[in-house]
Amino acid sequence: IYNNATREARYPSLVVIERLKLPVSEADLGALADVLADAVESGAAVSFLSLTREESEAWWRKLLSAPASGAILLVARDAS
């Protein structure tokens, strides 16, 4: 029988996908900036050749201050 307890035993570090609500908290902004800066530093260009943590945060602030009409932003969070 496969149930929630079985799933949690097999996959202990589950994540939850949720819609990012605006305005975002400073904690969420910081986490988004960290992920983007880390991705670029690790070689995932993601349209950036280089990017500091501060530039990453500024990019997110600009994007989130006026998201595209109808845009839905999703984030993955630890389920715990």
Side-chain angles (χ1 to χ4, degrees):
I1 297 174
Y2 190 78
N3 56 33
N4 284 342
T6 305
R7 186 185 73 226
E8 289 174 17
R10 287 184 69 188
Y11 308 104
S13 59
L14 296 175
V15 297
V16 174
I17 306 296
E18 63 184 37
R19 189 174 187 169
L20 186 63
K21 293 180 175 61
L22 300 178
V24 299
S25 69
E26 287 297 315
D28 281 345
L29 181 65
L32 289 167
D34 288 341
V35 168
L36 178 56
D38 183 61
V40 172
E41 183 179 310
S42 299
V46 198
S47 299
F48 301 100
L49 295 176
S50 66
L51 186 74
T52 66
R53 167 63 171 70
E54 292 75 22
E55 291 168 329
S56 175
E57 185 171 320
W59 184 86
W60 277 110
R61 280 189 192 281
K62 181 178 178 182
L63 177 91
L64 296 171
S65 69
S69 176
I72 297 173
L73 303 167
L74 301 175
V75 294
R77 300 184 192 277
D78 289 330
S80 55

